[in-house]
């Protein structure tokens, strides 16, 4: 049984100290209130082993001692039960005047079994019965009869208040009942820690952020049991499975599979009877078992007892209850101890019970797998059909298990698809390449996987080109669109059209292509349709499609489900619905964490940070973006890896770390093979990095050029974003007019507000700018509100108070390009760039080398700029340029 003491040595970053007690504030208040409430004998804390009853009781006793109470502590033990006079071991006194004769008399009286002596001694020290004495006894359910009688007399005659602990389920009759004197004990169950508290505790003891998926996995396998959590973390640190990656603690792999963890729960399992263990083996093997089948196998009484003891969980599903293991570690330990012969026998018993109980249906994929594992005769065609059903229903693990029982190419193809759905792109591609042949379905899935999963666009195009058919199936048309969106590719068969979605432009959906979609290709189609709408100027339409249900989140491919969730949130942000996006993204994130899918958590986590950047707080955005970046691996679709890295780079640049930001962008550029459209995303991010690092001339020029290119190519959304950056960095009538025209071609109210902002900046109309700031703030775009308000001239004290309020709501972050105090707009872009580099501390020769010009050119251009700005030295440049360059440089 898991020990409930706190005597385990700390490990890792907390070596040399104990783990803190967190998340118990409400319990402490409740216990103190119950102790102070007459009449009564005191409080009994109950809970499972390791939940922290002892530490909680010690904390309350310490607080009581600090308030002046005389505290006596001890513990009942199994070893001393029945030995008169020593049934309470380790007695010690604290609080009050602990060195006084009365304190010693209390201890002496307890050991001698003389409650009257204790009572008299307590009266001698204080003002009589008002003296508060609290007796704490750990493991009070182990009290022998004689010791319980002594304690009961102390309560009745000595006015002693009790604080006891006992394990859940301990009988409250017998010796424990004899301790009640003035009234019944108040029984307070001590629950395990919540997931939020576990995350806080892990962050504290590991001295750094922990990714949400790791915290959730550790919470689930330990059920929030503090002592078990401590031991699991210790094993992870010792083995290196729990390690810091990119400043975030992560556990890669399955913590529940470690043999040493099985030992932690072996004693728990040993307390179960033979029939209870047998019942649990059925549940462990299947993962989830219909209650009717479980009761047919083990009997309702055993199922009910296991549920009462919280060993199993009954969950309503599809009109019936499903039985699952409450503790993942219990399941792992049980599975490790089931040999092949017993395993086959248990599956045969499951098959027989399912036939008699009627659930699951014989054609259910799980029931088919049971027959296969029982070594019964199952046609390969039936296993193949069952595997396809499992894959289509969103259970790729079950599909893979069934595929292992299907010989030849059909089994290999099914297994390859199941592996892709689990994020194992390379393994899936090998199987499909070797056994998939040239069917349209396989070619389409391989093409999508080669690009999205393996970042091999060249091979993806070759795979599509080798398909001999001229008639494009629904699957192939989805694959064509997937490549076209990110590789600037155009198929010889014409513009790619989604089977259920929009054409290449921003117009209405076209007629569906013939033929059903492969389940995984269907998931990709959902994501691609959403991306097409969002980035082709229809974010409001994309958001509405998600809201109404035509799109919905993919059910089978976790990485695609995460991508669709991210696109839904991003569409809401670009449609001016940031407040909704902030609420929805947290819901999506919690769901991804509960599903324990790292790729989905990373993708949705990054868009959480994205929303917080739009809300004007890079400080709050950093944690989710850092977590997403730490979780990035080969299981995440390739485009999403780029988006995650770009958003992280922008965030750290906004926080003043431009060198790190540019290094991140350079790293991403090396990952992008060929001339992919994803490089355009890097260039858009580069605009933001340049602006945040103070290189405004370069940022302005790049934003201008990219806006023209994107709008010319009908990539309207990114074109609008670039045009908006350009006009904010360098307001002009021409730039404002271009933005207004581009915004009018899109369906987003937010883009129209961008155009209003641009025109007000150009006119330098303070009243209009302040009104625009209010509109941004109402929608939740606080950073843009602060930027608009900062650029508004005049306004007096009210305007300054409004600015201060916006700065506070942005966590102190100010817009990166406040209005200049001199006419810096008179500078040419080349003069401006020279000044920015000079203000960063670069010498004339360094600037010349950086820009590839002569030192004389630098000197001349700086001289002209000084004259325009009315300054005479590099030191004065920082005060007159709209943003002083970051001393780290970069780029």
């Amino acid at each position: 049984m898991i020990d409930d003491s706190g005597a385990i040595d700390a490990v890792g970053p907390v070596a040399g100290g104990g783990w803190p007690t967190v998340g118990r504030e409400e319990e402490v208040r409740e216990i103190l209130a119950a102790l102070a409430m007459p009449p009564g004998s005191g409080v009994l804390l109950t809970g499972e082993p390791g939940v922290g009853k002892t530490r909680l009781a010690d904390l309350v006793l310490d607080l009581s001692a600090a308030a002046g109470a005389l505290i006596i502590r001890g513990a009942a033990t199994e070893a001393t039960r029945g030995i008169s006079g020593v049934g309470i071991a380790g007695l010690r006194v604290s609080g009050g005047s602990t060195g006084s004769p009365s304190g010693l008399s209390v201890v002496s009286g307890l050991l001698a079994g003389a409650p009257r002596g204790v009572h008299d001694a307590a009266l001698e020290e204080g003002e009589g019965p008002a003296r508060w004495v609290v007796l704490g006894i750990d493991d009070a359910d182990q009290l022998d009869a004689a010791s319980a009688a002594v304690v009961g007399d102390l309560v009745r005659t000595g006015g002693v208040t009790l604080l006891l602990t006992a394990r859940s389920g301990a009988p409250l009759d017998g010796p424990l009942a004899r301790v009640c004197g003035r009234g019944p004990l108040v029984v307070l169950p001590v629950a395990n820690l919540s997931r939020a508290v576990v995350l806080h505790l892990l962050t504290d003891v590991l001295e750094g952020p922990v990714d949400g998926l790791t915290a959730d996995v550790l919470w689930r396998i330990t059920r929030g049991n503090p002592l078990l959590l401590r031991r699991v973390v210790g094993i992870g640190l010792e083995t290196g499975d729990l390690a810091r990656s990119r400043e975030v603690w992560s556990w890669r792999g399955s913590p529940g599979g470690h043999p040493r963890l099985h030992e932690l729960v072996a004693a728990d399992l040993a307390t179960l009877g033979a029939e209870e263990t047998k019942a649990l083996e059925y549940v462990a093997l299947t993962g989830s078992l219909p209650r009717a089948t479980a009761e047919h196998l083990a009997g309702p009484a055993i199922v009910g007892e296991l549920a009462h003891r919280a060993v199993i969980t009954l969950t309503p599903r599809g009109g019936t209850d499903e039985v699952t293991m409450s503790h993942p570690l219990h399941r792992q330990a049980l599975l490790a101890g089931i040999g092949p012969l017993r395993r086959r026998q248990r599956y045969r018993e499951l098959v027989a019970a399912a036939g008699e109980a009627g659930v699951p249906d014989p054609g259910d994929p799980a029931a088919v797998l049971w027959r296969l594992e029982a070594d019964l005769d199952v046609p390969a065609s039936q296993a193949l059909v069952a595997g396809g059903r499992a894959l289509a229903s969103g259970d790729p693990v079950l599909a893979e298990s069934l595929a292992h029982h299907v010989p030849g190419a059909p089994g290999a193809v099914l297994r390859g698809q199941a592996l892709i759905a689990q994020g194992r792109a390379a393994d899936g591609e090998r199987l499909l390449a070797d056994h998939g042949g040239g069917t349209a379905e396989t070619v389409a899935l391989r093409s999508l996987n080669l690009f999205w999963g393996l970042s091999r666009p060249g091979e993806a195009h070759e795979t599509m080109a080798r398909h001999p058919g001229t008639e494009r199936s629904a699957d192939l048309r989805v694959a064509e669109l997937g490549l076209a969106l990110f590789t600037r590719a155009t198929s010889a068969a014409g513009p790619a059209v989604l089977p259920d979605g929009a054409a290449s432009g921003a117009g209405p959906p076209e007629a569906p292509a013939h033929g059903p979609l492969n389940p995984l290709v269907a998931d990709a189609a959902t994501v691609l349709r959403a991306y097409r709408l969002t980035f082709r100027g229809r974010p409001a339409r994309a958001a509405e499609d998600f809201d109404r249900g035509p799109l919905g989140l993919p059910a089978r491919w976790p990485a695609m489900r995460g991508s669709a969730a991210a696109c839904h949130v991003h569409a809401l942000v670009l449609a001016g619905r940031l407040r909704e996006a902030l609420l929805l993204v947290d819901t999506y994130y919690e769901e991804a964490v509960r599903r324990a899918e790292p790729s989905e958590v990373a993708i949705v986590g990054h868009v959480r940070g994205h929303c917080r950047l739009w809300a004007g707080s890079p400080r709050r955005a950093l944690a989710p973006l850092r977590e997403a970046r730490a979780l990035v691996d080969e299981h995440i679709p390739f485009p999403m890896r780029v988006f995650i890295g770009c958003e992280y780079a922008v965030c750290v640049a906004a926080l003043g770390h431009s060198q790190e930001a540019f290094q991140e962008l350079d790293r991403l550029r090396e990952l992008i093979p060929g001339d992919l459209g994803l490089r355009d995303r890097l260039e858009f991010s580069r605009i933001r990095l340049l602006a945040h690092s103070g290189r405004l001339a370069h940022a302005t020029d790049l934003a201008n050029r990219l806006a023209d290119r994107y709008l010319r190519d009908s990539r309207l959304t990114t074109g609008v974003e670039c045009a908006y950056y350009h006009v904010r960095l360098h307001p002009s009538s021409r730039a404002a007019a271009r933005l207004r025209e581009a915004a009018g071609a899109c369906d987003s109210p937010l883009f129209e507000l961008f155009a209003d902002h641009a025109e007000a900046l150009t006119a330098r109309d303070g009243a209009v700018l302040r009104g625009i700031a209010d509109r941004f703030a109402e929608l939740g775009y606080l950073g843009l509100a602060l930027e608009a308000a900062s650029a508004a001239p005049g306004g007096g004290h009210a305007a300054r108070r409004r600015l201060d309020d916006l700065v506070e709501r942005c966590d102190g972050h100010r817009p990166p390009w406040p209005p200049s105090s001199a006419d810096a707009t008179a500078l040419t872009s080349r003069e401006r760039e020279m000044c920015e580099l000079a203000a960063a501390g670069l010498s004339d020769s360094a600037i010349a080398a950086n820009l590839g010009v002569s030192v004389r050119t630098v000197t001349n251009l700086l001289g002209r700029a000084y004259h325009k700005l009315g300054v005479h030295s590099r030191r004065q440049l920082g005060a007159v340029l709209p943003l002083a360059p970051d001393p780290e440089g970069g780029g």
Side-chain angles (χ1 to χ4, degrees):
M1 193 70 70
I2 300 171
D3 185 11
D4 196 36
S5 72
I8 306 301
D9 291 334
V11 290
V14 291
W19 280 35
T21 300
V22 298
R24 298 298 191 192
E25 295 80 8
E26 186 59 36
E27 286 97 329
V28 169
R29 284 191 290 269
E30 194 172 357
I31 296 167
L32 288 172
L35 289 176
M37 186 185 301
S41 301
V43 177
L44 172 63
L45 304 180
T46 64
E48 68 176 47
V51 76
K53 303 182 296 293
T54 303
R55 295 194 68 177
L56 183 56
D58 282 341
L59 175 60
V60 170
L61 291 173
D62 289 341
L63 292 172
S64 300
L70 179 66
I71 305 300
I72 310 165
R73 309 177 200 234
T77 64
E78 181 70 29
T80 58
R81 284 191 69 175
I83 304 177
S84 180
V86 292
I88 305 174
L91 281 167
R92 60 193 189 279
V93 182
S94 62
S97 302
T98 57
S100 69
S102 67
L104 297 175
S105 298
V106 170
V107 179
S108 174
L110 278 172
L111 290 176
R116 174 56 58 186
V118 173
H119 173 60
D120 293 343
L123 292 179
E124 288 174 6
E125 181 174 314
E127 295 292 332
R131 175 67 174 151
W132 187 23
V133 181
V134 183
L135 172 59
I137 304 176
D138 205 18
D139 295 327
D141 50 315
Q142 301 294 333
L143 279 173
D144 61 90
S147 299
V150 171
V151 174
D153 285 343
L154 282 169
V155 174
R156 282 188 295 272
T157 63
V160 172
T161 302
L162 298 176
L163 179 56
L164 312 178
T165 71
R167 298 187 178 193
S168 295
L172 299 182
D173 53 3
L176 192 56
R178 298 181 187 178
V179 304
C180 299
R182 293 166 290 158
L185 288 164
V186 176
V187 180
L188 296 178
V190 180
N192 282 322
L193 302 176
S194 68
R195 184 172 64 188
V197 172
V198 166
L199 176 59
H200 173 73
L201 179 59
L202 290 172
T203 303
D204 193 359
V205 299
L206 293 173
E207 300 176 358
V210 180
D211 76 68
L213 181 61
T214 294
D216 184 74
V217 168
L218 292 177
W219 173 70
R220 284 188 294 106
I221 69 170
T222 64
R223 291 187 302 173
N225 183 288
L227 185 60
L228 187 54
L229 176 68
R230 185 173 183 172
R231 290 178 168 178
V232 171
V233 168
I235 290 173
L237 291 171
E238 291 173 13
T239 60
D241 293 330
L242 179 61
R244 196 192 301 264
S245 172
R246 295 178 176 176
E247 303 181 67
V248 178
W249 286 94
S250 296
W251 193 312
R252 297 303 173 96
S254 173
H258 200 285
R260 287 180 58 188
L261 298 181
H262 300 165
E263 299 171 8
L264 298 181
V265 298
D268 284 339
L269 295 174
T271 64
L272 300 172
E275 291 303 313
E276 292 172 326
T277 300
K278 184 177 179 181
L280 285 181
E281 287 179 350
Y282 296 127
V283 183
L285 285 168
T286 59
S288 178
L289 189 61
R291 181 173 184 170
T293 307
E295 290 183 343
H296 190 88
L297 286 162
I302 288 181
V303 172
E305 177 62 21
L306 290 172
H308 176 71
R309 295 174 60 178
V311 180
I312 61 172
T313 301
L314 303 177
T315 306
R317 186 177 302 164
T320 184
D321 283 344
E322 289 286 323
V323 181
T324 57
M325 299 284 292
S326 299
H327 205 311
L329 284 182
H330 283 167
R331 185 187 181 203
Q332 296 284 352
L334 280 169
L335 289 174
I338 301 176
L341 292 179
R342 190 158 91 248
R343 179 186 180 91
R344 184 175 61 184
Q345 179 61 32
R346 293 288 181 263
Y347 272 114
R348 291 193 172 187
E349 293 162 356
L350 280 162
V351 171
E356 295 171 7
V359 286
D361 181 89
D364 185 279
V368 174
L369 181 63
W370 295 357
R371 295 201 298 276
L372 289 166
E373 293 290 348
D375 205 17
L376 300 176
D377 186 27
V378 177
S381 59
Q382 187 178 9
L384 184 63
V385 170
R389 288 180 60 188
L391 184 65
S393 66
D395 195 341
V397 175
L398 177 57
E400 183 189 1
S401 298
L402 286 161
H404 279 291
H405 294 277
V406 179
V413 170
L414 175 61
R415 187 171 168 231
Q417 294 182 62
L419 291 172
I420 290 173
Q422 295 174 62
R424 297 165 60 183
D427 294 336
E429 162 59 17
R430 279 192 293 269
L431 285 170
L432 293 181
D434 292 341
H435 304 282
T439 66
E441 176 183 327
T442 301
V443 169
L445 183 56
R446 283 189 62 206
S447 175
L448 289 167
N449 185 49
L450 282 165
F451 174 67
W452 281 68
L454 297 171
S455 65
R456 287 150 56 179
E459 291 182 48
H461 282 296
E462 291 173 8
T463 299
M464 292 285 288
R466 286 199 297 268
H467 187 261
T470 55
E471 180 67 25
R472 299 321 238 182
S473 70
D475 294 284
L476 287 173
R477 295 173 80 175
V478 172
E480 286 176 346
L481 179 64
L483 293 177
L485 278 177
F486 296 101
T487 66
R488 305 188 184 125
T490 301
S491 168
V497 180
L498 279 173
D500 62 343
S504 295
E510 294 189 358
H514 65 278
L517 288 173
N518 170 280
L520 301 186
V521 176
D523 280 359
T526 297
V527 175
L528 294 173
R529 172 177 166 80
Y531 272 93
R532 169 184 288 285
L533 287 170
T534 301
F535 290 102
R536 295 282 175 162
R538 294 291 182 267
R541 166 70 182 278
E544 289 170 4
D545 279 358
F546 276 114
D547 295 340
R548 292 197 309 265
L551 290 178
L553 295 189
R556 294 156 290 253
W557 196 342
M560 289 297 177
R561 183 169 54 235
S563 299
C567 196
H568 185 188
V569 172
H570 191 50
L572 287 171
V573 171
L574 293 175
R577 298 165 61 184
L578 178 59
R579 295 190 186 279
E580 294 174 61
L582 285 164
L583 294 174
L584 180 65
V585 74
D586 286 341
T587 300
Y588 277 153
Y589 177 78
E590 294 298 324
E591 291 173 351
V593 166
R594 279 195 293 272
R595 281 190 286 265
E597 295 288 353
S599 59
E600 191 177 350
V601 172
I603 294 168
V604 178
H606 116 270
V607 83
R608 288 179 82 206
H610 177 75
C611 286
R612 285 153 177 77
L613 279 178
W614 275 98
S617 180
R619 288 179 177 82
R620 282 181 289 150
L622 181 60
L625 289 172
R626 181 183 282 156
E627 173 188 340
R629 181 171 173 268
L631 288 172
V632 166
D633 59 17
E634 68 278 4
H635 298 149
I636 295 178
F638 177 60
M640 294 308 305
R641 298 181 221 169
V642 176
F643 295 156
I644 290 170
C646 285
E647 209 65 14
Y648 173 79
V650 171
C651 183
V652 296
L655 292 173
H657 306 290
S658 62
Q659 185 173 8
E660 179 186 353
F662 280 109
Q663 288 172 349
E664 179 74 8
L665 220 58
D666 291 341
R667 182 187 67 81
L668 292 171
R669 182 175 289 104
E670 293 174 0
L671 293 177
I672 300 177
D675 186 27
L676 296 187
L678 286 170
R679 287 186 177 270
D680 293 340
R681 195 67 191 173
L682 290 186
E683 290 304 293
F684 174 58
S685 299
R686 186 175 178 81
I687 294 170
R688 301 159 75 189
L689 263 61
L690 288 166
H692 283 296
S693 63
R695 299 179 61 181
L696 301 189
H698 195 169
T700 301
D701 179 62
L702 185 58
N704 185 37
R705 288 188 287 108
L706 288 181
D708 279 344
R709 185 204 303 172
Y710 294 151
L711 295 174
R712 183 174 59 249
D713 294 343
S714 297
R715 286 177 283 175
L716 297 177
T717 300
T718 309
V720 165
E721 291 185 276
C722 288
Y724 186 43
Y725 262 96
H726 175 245
V727 76
R728 288 152 66 197
L729 295 169
H730 189 75
S732 71
S733 299
R734 176 190 168 278
R738 177 178 62 180
L739 178 58
R740 174 65 73 184
E741 180 181 0
C746 301
D747 70 355
S748 169
L750 181 65
F751 293 175
E752 293 294 338
L753 185 53
F754 288 172
D756 292 344
H757 184 195
E759 290 167 356
L761 281 173
T762 302
R764 291 188 59 78
D765 190 321
V768 174
L769 282 168
R770 283 187 288 275
I772 288 170
D774 289 340
R775 290 162 62 190
F776 274 131
E778 288 171 5
L779 296 173
Y781 300 83
L782 299 178
L784 293 176
L786 178 57
E787 186 179 328
S790 298
H797 294 293
R800 284 195 291 274
R801 284 195 302 270
R802 178 63 171 153
L803 276 175
D804 291 341
D805 175 66
L806 286 170
V807 169
E808 183 177 352
R809 294 171 69 186
C810 291
D811 300 320
H813 182 72
R814 291 181 176 273
W817 36 86
S820 62
S821 58
D823 190 15
T825 58
L827 299 177
T828 67
S829 60
R830 201 58 161 173
E831 290 168 348
R832 176 59 183 268
E833 190 166 20
M834 298 284 182
C835 289
E836 290 168 358
L837 294 173
L842 274 68
S843 65
D844 288 1
S845 57
I847 296 173
N850 190 293
L851 299 179
V853 298
S854 68
V855 175
R856 180 184 293 276
T857 299
V858 173
T859 303
N860 290 338
L861 288 173
L862 282 177
R864 288 187 215 161
Y866 286 1
H867 178 72
K868 291 179 180 180
L869 296 173
V871 300
H872 304 284
S873 67
R874 279 171 161 76
R875 289 184 180 180
Q876 296 173 307
L877 283 175
V880 298
L881 290 175
L883 180 66
D886 189 324
E888 289 184 304

